[in-house]
Amino acid sequence: MPQPPASAHDIAAPAGSPANWWREAVIYQVYPRSFADGNGDGMGDLPGVRSRLSYLKELGVDALWLNPFYASPQADAGYDIADHRAVEPTLGTLLDAEALIRDAHGLGLRIIVDLVPNHSSDQHAWFLRALEEGPGSALRERYHFHPGKGENGELPPNDWTSVFGGPAWTRTKNPDGTPGDWYLHLFAPEQPDFNWEHPAVADEFRSILRFWLDMGVDGFRVDVAQGLIKAEGLPDIGRTDQRNMLGTEEMPSFDQDGVHEIYRSWRRILDEYPGQRIAVAEAWTPTEERTARYVRPDELHQTFNFSYMCAPWSADEFRRVIDAALDAMRRVGAPTTWVLSNHDTTRHSTRFAGPQTGSRLAEAGGRALGLRRARAATLLMLALPGAAYLYQGEELGLPEVTDLPDEVRQDPTFARTRGEDGFRDGCRVPIPWTVEGTSCGFGTGGSWLPQPEGWGALSVEAQTGDPDSTLELYRSALAVRRAHPGLGAGDAVEWTDAPAGVLVFRRQGFVCTMNTTDEAVRIPAPGRLLLASSPVGPTNGSHGASFELDANATVWWTV
């Protein structure tokens, strides 16, 4: 079993970090495969991330969340993990991970890593031995192996379907070549689900937590946090549209009450370590109240707010989901989180301009309108109380890449749904750092997904120093957010009456105004202008003077 370097226990948390830092942190999601390539092989890696830490410090974020970099056959871009204690060789080594953590802490940045407890790779040592030993193997009890239905076991044990499309069961072959039992995989067949009723699984993950905490990480993002426990007896669902039910209706495969005891045991471990180590749930649940159960005082620290991410471009809908999230989290004393894009969803600069308003979109919308709304949505998000998550490249205003050729796509859902879904590659295209170069500064050897023509015009180099650029807007917004006493942590906003399509709310010494309509609106100026997502006309310099709030724009004021 790999061991952390001998000096790992000496890795200190960032100096000068505030108490309860996670209640107001801005956390930047790094998709390592697409952030920066340190060795020129076309694939992003940990040394590449390490080389760009100063950029993230200057951007003004508090922490990095790294998507999986563990040993993996890469059937699902690293979410099929063969060994949680080893680094995938194409992404680096354990020493690279240690150096990244150490350098980040030296810059005052925290590191959050992905943890994937719902399933393993089918190349995990446990699963390989379970197949090799056949029926009766004790290792099969650590997964969900079951005999099939039908006269000869030829039918799956129940009617569950995979989130990635197709059945959630795959039949095995016995060591003698005859058809065998079936195993459960709520995602790809290469990702068999663990059986969390088996004590060895719980023991293993407590050990994994300690391994990375000893290495110095500041927290974990828990993948599929709602999926670990399945309903007793694995009952049929009775419907075929199960993928559409995820996060909207009760399901026996997700959000079972038994998951909460698991997270209580993890919280006890996290609390043993200095520096306020945290855990963040990716939990798709039917209601905000169900989501809040994951962040009760003795469980996890944060949970993603998917209702906000999936909200359409509408003032009424924004207000509704903001109020619902704040109310639910306030009841359990947890901070609300806000996010607009991630590695599984269409970038919001494209989503807000298209005909669809959910989290997924296969067609591009108007580039100018999408970017305008994205900038406004970002200022709204960063003005809300709680923590905010940024996805790499959104600070550049990157659009979704919607025209990738089918032959380069790597999202497993694309193949399993015959091209009807599986467009996550479009938000994973490597980001541009420079105007010129074979991969716009991503690396020296091209990029694993092709970058669009003209990608360099959106690069860090092209936008730095341009006061009208999206990058400089993010830098300014994060600086104001850090400096203004009315921003950051909190659990409420004070709404003010406003015209239809306009949002106005107050916080301590601060006001946010947002216009979601396609026409400018004249309203009273609540104070002194701080920042705007698009140009603001003159306000006569006096409190209460009217000003023109531009279409699809957000403005910050200090009062």
Side-chain angles (χ1 to χ4, degrees):
M1 178 185 303
Q3 296 295 321
S7 60
H9 296 269
D10 299 327
I11 298 178
S17 296
N20 296 325
W21 63 273
W22 42 276
R23 288 186 170 272
E24 61 182 359
V26 176
I27 300 169
Y28 185 99
Q29 180 187 354
V30 172
Y31 193 71
R33 295 160 59 103
S34 300
F35 189 66
D37 174 14
N39 62 6
D41 66 355
M43 180 69 69
D45 47 37
L46 296 184
V49 177
R50 185 184 176 200
S51 72
R52 298 293 186 176
L53 288 175
S54 59
Y55 164 77
L56 298 176
K57 176 65 176 178
E58 293 167 5
L59 182 61
V61 301
D62 301 295
L64 285 63
W65 155 33
L66 296 167
N67 287 108
F69 51 80
Y70 311 109
S72 165
Q74 303 293 311
D76 182 25
Y79 280 94
D80 51 316
I81 296 172
D83 187 349
H84 256 109
R85 298 181 185 84
V87 174
E88 171 60 27
T90 59
L91 300 182
T93 66
L94 278 176
L95 289 176
D96 290 326
E98 179 195 15
L100 172 59
I101 295 166
R102 190 182 297 278
D103 285 2
H105 285 178
L107 290 171
L109 298 170
R110 293 180 182 265
I111 297 290
I112 295 170
V113 298
D114 248 312
L115 189 71
V116 186
N118 180 71
H119 47 261
S120 75
S121 166
D122 62 354
Q123 299 303 301
H124 191 286
W126 287 1
F127 193 77
L128 290 174
R129 279 187 55 195
L131 292 180
E132 181 182 354
E133 294 174 3
S137 168
L139 285 169
R140 291 199 170 201
E141 297 176 7
R142 302 180 186 186
Y143 295 90
H144 291 277
F145 281 88
H146 292 278
K149 294 180 178 179
E151 183 177 352
N152 298 304
E154 69 275 12
L155 300 176
N158 67 18
D159 67 355
W160 295 3
T161 57
S162 165
V163 174
F164 285 171
W169 295 90
T170 291
R171 196 172 192 185
T172 66
K173 286 186 178 181
N174 292 323
D176 63 4
T178 60
D181 289 339
W182 298 72
Y183 68 88
L184 176 68
H185 51 87
L186 293 179
F187 295 88
E190 296 87 353
Q191 296 168 294
D193 278 42
F194 284 118
N195 174 16
W196 272 86
E197 305 289 352
H198 196 288
V201 176
D203 288 345
E204 171 70 355
F205 274 88
R206 283 192 289 266
S207 174
I208 291 169
L209 285 174
R210 292 187 183 280
F211 179 89
W212 288 103
L213 289 168
D214 288 342
M215 183 76 80
V217 303
D218 301 286
F220 302 91
R221 177 265 191 183
V222 184
D223 184 63
V224 196
Q226 83 282 10
L228 279 55
I229 299 294
K230 279 67 174 174
E232 185 176 359
L234 308 183
D236 284 343
I237 295 176
R239 291 169 55 181
T240 59
D241 59 343
Q242 295 169 24
R243 295 179 67 237
N244 296 326
M245 296 170 63
L246 179 62
T248 62
E249 300 181 44
E250 294 183 7
M251 300 175 68
S253 49
F254 291 117
D255 194 32
Q256 300 299 300
D257 289 344
V259 299
H260 298 289
E261 186 51 45
I262 296 170
Y263 298 136
R264 291 186 185 99
S265 72
W266 289 10
R267 180 59 178 263
R268 290 191 289 271
I269 293 173
L270 291 165
D271 287 348
E272 292 175 12
Y273 284 78
Q276 295 191 322
R277 318 294 178 95
I278 71 165
V280 185
E282 182 210 30
W284 291 87
T285 72
T287 66
E288 284 84 358
E289 290 72 24
R290 293 292 299 184
T291 299
R293 290 164 59 87
Y294 290 79
V295 287
R296 289 175 289 193
D298 61 345
E299 296 191 42
L300 306 181
H301 298 75
Q302 295 179 348
T303 183
F304 287 126
N305 182 357
F306 292 119
S307 295
Y308 182 77
M309 184 179 69
C310 296
W313 184 257
S314 159
D316 290 342
E317 281 300 298
F318 282 142
R319 179 166 176 171
R320 183 188 66 78
V321 299
I322 289 168
D323 283 342
L326 288 171
D327 289 346
M329 295 300 132
R330 189 184 305 115
R331 293 190 188 105
V332 295
T336 308
T337 65
W338 312 100
V339 62
L340 287 165
S341 291
N342 66 26
H343 66 295
D344 284 333
T345 60
T346 301
R347 288 187 178 275
H348 63 282
S349 60
T350 296
R351 194 171 72 241
F352 282 140
Q356 303 176 22
T357 53
S359 63
R360 296 171 186 262
L361 176 69
E363 299 178 0
R367 167 70 178 143
L369 176 61
L371 180 59
R372 185 181 187 86
R373 288 177 169 178
R375 289 163 59 100
T378 294
L379 287 196
L380 174 66
M381 177 180 74
L382 292 176
L384 294 169
Y389 282 78
L390 310 178
Y391 178 52
Q392 66 177 45
E394 72 170 77
E395 76 277 16
L396 304 177
L398 296 185
E400 186 80 359
V401 180
T402 59
D403 57 355
L404 289 170
D406 291 354
E407 61 270 18
V408 306
R409 292 191 178 275
Q410 300 193 26
D411 185 347
T413 314
F414 188 79
R416 288 177 63 79
T417 62
R418 299 181 180 179
E420 295 179 4
D421 201 344
F423 295 95
R424 295 180 299 172
D425 294 315
C427 64
R428 300 176 178 183
V429 173
I431 66 174
W433 293 92
T434 59
V435 176
E436 304 291 341
T438 59
S439 62
C440 300
F442 169 69
T444 59
S447 60
W448 67 282
L449 284 173
Q451 297 167 315
E453 186 176 353
W455 207 233
L458 302 176
S459 65
V460 173
E461 179 184 26
Q463 296 196 40
T464 294
D466 177 357
D468 297 326
S469 72
T470 301
L471 175 58
E472 294 299 348
L473 176 68
Y474 270 72
R475 286 172 169 162
S476 297
L478 292 175
V480 172
R481 190 181 195 273
R482 185 181 296 273
H484 198 290
L487 294 175
D491 63 8
V493 298
E494 177 188 346
W495 296 104
T496 300
D497 290 341
V502 175
L503 294 175
V504 180
F505 67 79
R506 292 178 175 271
R507 300 186 64 191
Q508 178 188 355
F510 174 88
V511 174
C512 178
T513 58
M514 181 187 197
N515 181 9
T516 65
T517 75
D518 293 327
E519 301 291 337
V521 177
R522 183 160 288 278
I523 62 174
R528 180 172 59 84
L529 177 68
L530 278 176
L531 190 64
S533 65
S534 63
V536 177
T539 64
N540 299 325
S542 59
H543 173 70
S546 66
F547 83 103
E548 195 168 80
L549 179 58
D550 209 353
N552 299 301
T554 299
V555 182
W556 288 0
W557 309 84
T558 187
V559 297

